[in-house]
Amino acid sequence: MTAAKTQHAASTDHGGACRPAMAGVVAVPPYAGGYVALDWLEHAPGFVACLVGPDLVFTHANDAYKRLVGREDLVGLPFRVALPEVAEQGVLPLLKSALETGERVVQCARPVRLAVDGGASQLRYVDFIAQPIPRFDGEECGALLILGSDVTMETVSERDLQFSLTHDVLTGLPNHALFRDRLEHALRRAARAQRPLQVAALHLDLFKRVNALVGRQGGERILREVAGRIERAAGPDVTVARDSGDKFLLLLEGEQQPNAAARIQDVVRAVAEPFEHKDHSVYVTCCVGGAAFPLSGQTADSLLLAADRALACAEEAGAGTQRWDDTLPDDAGIARLRLGFALREALAGDGLSVYYQPRVDLVTGEICAVEASVRLDKADEALSSATLNGVAEECGLSAELGAWVLRAAAAQAAQWRAMGFTSLRVAVNLSARQFAMSDLEDVIVRALAEADMPATCLDLGLTENVVMEDMNRVVDCLLALRHLGIRLCLDDFGTGSSSLINLQRLPVDLLKVDGSFLRRVPDEDGAAAIVDAIVSMGHSLGMRVIANGVARENQCEFLARHMCDEVQGDFVSKPLPADAMTGLLQTGAGLAPRLLRFNRTQPTLLLVDDETSIVSSLKRLLRGDGYRILTANSGSDGLKILAEHTVDVIVSDQRMPEMTGVEFLRTVRQLYPDTVRIVLSGFTELQTVTDAVNAGAIYKFLTKPWDDEQLRSHIQEAVAYGAMANENRLLTLEVRTANQKLAAVNRQLELGLARQQSEIERGEISLDIVHEALDNVPVPVLASDDLGMIVLANRAASELFAGREQVLGCDIRQLFPGMPDRLPEGELFSFEHRADGKRFTAEVRPMGSGSQSRGWLIAINGVETD
């Protein structure tokens, strides 16, 4: 409820008459609207309590007030019983005076000593307001509203104010500013006297979880105890400061490093002792990073940075660890730091560019999408997008950098659409920090609107580790993005920590196979099997599968045969600047037909023989038969050609150096089982050939010298055999493609039904809330449909018409015989009604002006008994 609505509700009685709202006061009327007011009081700034009756009994107190007075169980207790020590400090007479006179009592910066921390008292200064609240009929009901704000800091002495500027308020330890001042003085003394000096940074392990366990007050108590333990264990000659949150700083003078390390270890052990909280023990550990003068640095800044570096190493090593820094940052760290500075300046200016790498559809062979990646224009060397994204993450710039890439890519996509490339999609990867932003959807919608680009042209990429952190939140966020029309891609699949159960829940459209799986494809059976399994799994879940990092033609052929949908990598194109990518789109670049899933291309023959004259003769013989002919002079050369080209039929000599024809064809059968393999040799070697035929390594054995027509006939038969196998393969691919599309449609339906079900459940909950709210409204309310049938009656209306057997379902004119036969459309009107000894005014309001509802809403006012 807005402030304006709250004020209006607070100043209107149940009869509709309005009173001027009193300044600083929110009245609590005795009807359902009061619950809204109480909710407002609960979240009001300052300390708020409401008391009723001559004994001033608490009826409400917000959390801030309870924390101020140090007591939770106030409601139901008289003021004198609940807070006797406050009542004795002159507060109770002020309240009673306000009650008796009806005048507001205001006192600024009133001192009140309050009990906190289980009995210890503390002097606080508050602005005090006591305001009587009248009944709505004008009589006093004895209710008081107490408003106060803590102005202790504004009224403390100059000495206390100065102390608060140099010390931590919670622990009383020096703060960072005072510690730094003392460190600079200590460094000058150490330099003059040539004495050692150490600085240590101490950080509590997992303290956020501890704080969540014990609560805010419990966490503050533990921090105070930690501060005391550090001071006692370190000794009186060590400066201990609270840096921020759960981090502390120590300054040790005159100690050699081994002694300082031993003393700090005493601190670590002291912190690790159990803390008592309610009925159980709480354990807190800490990590410490130390730096020594002059080895780690000779200035306050360098020593504090060195201590933080050592602390980071200690935290990586595990809880309760101590590490010392004794070296300056390495060159790589300095270079990365400078790169972060350059990236920040490039973001602020105009020093970044977006490159685009195409993705090609393995069915059509055309460029179907481009993936955007960022480049730093003025870098000394070519830097990958992954390097820049990593630096941005370290510098806290990943969200800003990602938003910049999204805007730039959307603007470029709009230009391509204007050039006629309307089906082209642009893919942008989201970082972990971007995905964690609460306004991610707004950022994306704003970027698309600025570029005038439809959401249906955008693919968003997310890594497995990003989407697996909070599955329920992730699914809700992805569904919201998907509802906009954006396609979602799970990047680098197989390298993260996702489970198949979670993968099934994710509403993603695209699954991108990581390039590390493709390096050994198709040469190694294990790698090929993994890629094939990922493709099959993605299709079974209704996703399109993209292979990233495709570098060779045979990888592309393998992926096409195994139903992969799209390929991306250097084999297609390296990432290009926008102008070069535009040129590539305009030339219609894509994949050759032989590399596509449903390729029906010219039959290809591979002739392998160590005698070049034989190879030349065979080429002359077969040249006119319409074959694409490749040649090799050894088995190893033949394997190299097979790695780069798809071959239908192989004709190989038997006796060749390095490996025989049968050995060569045995290897081919393992790597390329779809080829038809023929041996052509002048040496019979019957047993070897028979074994090879029986093992399926060769299709036929032909002898030299050959009969030209007979050889051509055998090769035509082999090509036809291979073509039939290829047709069977294509039919299988077509069936699998149809099944894939069906699975995708089913997934779309499942996600749509899940969203509709969620919306229905939310709608039902909202409807229940509305019904309950109407039921608790003290004014009788009824609703009818557009035909005049009563479809809703709240509790007050049911009580008003208790003499009737049934209200719901009856005609509106049966309840109100005096109502006009024809209700004026779209108009508000009222009429008076008298029946069963009661008279009242009914206000009739048409419904449907702001919704799809139809009918009439009847509110009954001023019910009186004759």
Side-chain angles (χ1 to χ4, degrees), residues 92 149 160 219 319 449 722 742 858:
L92 195 58
S149 57
D160 292 338
L742 181 61
I858 305 103

Side-chain angles (χ1 to χ4, degrees), residues 439-459:
D439 61 342
L440 174 62
E441 185 177 346
D442 293 336
V443 170
I444 295 172
V445 170
R446 190 160 53 249
L448 294 175
E450 289 174 359
D452 193 21
M453 171 185 167
T456 52
C457 291
L458 178 64
D459 290 354

Side-chain angles (χ1 to χ4, degrees), residues 625-649:
D625 292 344
Y627 305 131
R628 174 179 173 232
I629 300 175
L630 306 174
T631 62
N633 296 117
S634 66
S636 58
D637 290 342
L639 291 175
K640 290 178 183 178
I641 291 175
L642 288 168
E644 301 296 331
H645 302 276
T646 300
V647 173
D648 298 294
V649 177

Side-chain angles (χ1 to χ4, degrees), residues 22-26 45-51 56 58 65 68 79 90-91 93-99 102-110 112 125-133 143-151:
M22 288 175 284
V25 177
V26 177
F47 315 103
V48 184
C50 188
L51 302 98
L56 297 172
F58 280 98
Y65 188 92
L68 177 70
F79 190 95
V91 174
L94 292 176
L95 298 175
K96 291 187 174 181
S97 173
L99 180 63
E103 298 294 332
R104 181 169 56 180
V105 176
V106 178
Q107 287 193 357
C108 296
R110 178 180 178 81
V112 181
Y125 295 85
V126 296
D127 286 336
F128 178 90
I129 302 174
Q131 172 70 55
I133 302 176
L144 291 174
L145 185 66
I146 303 171
L147 304 175
S149 57
D150 191 346
V151 292

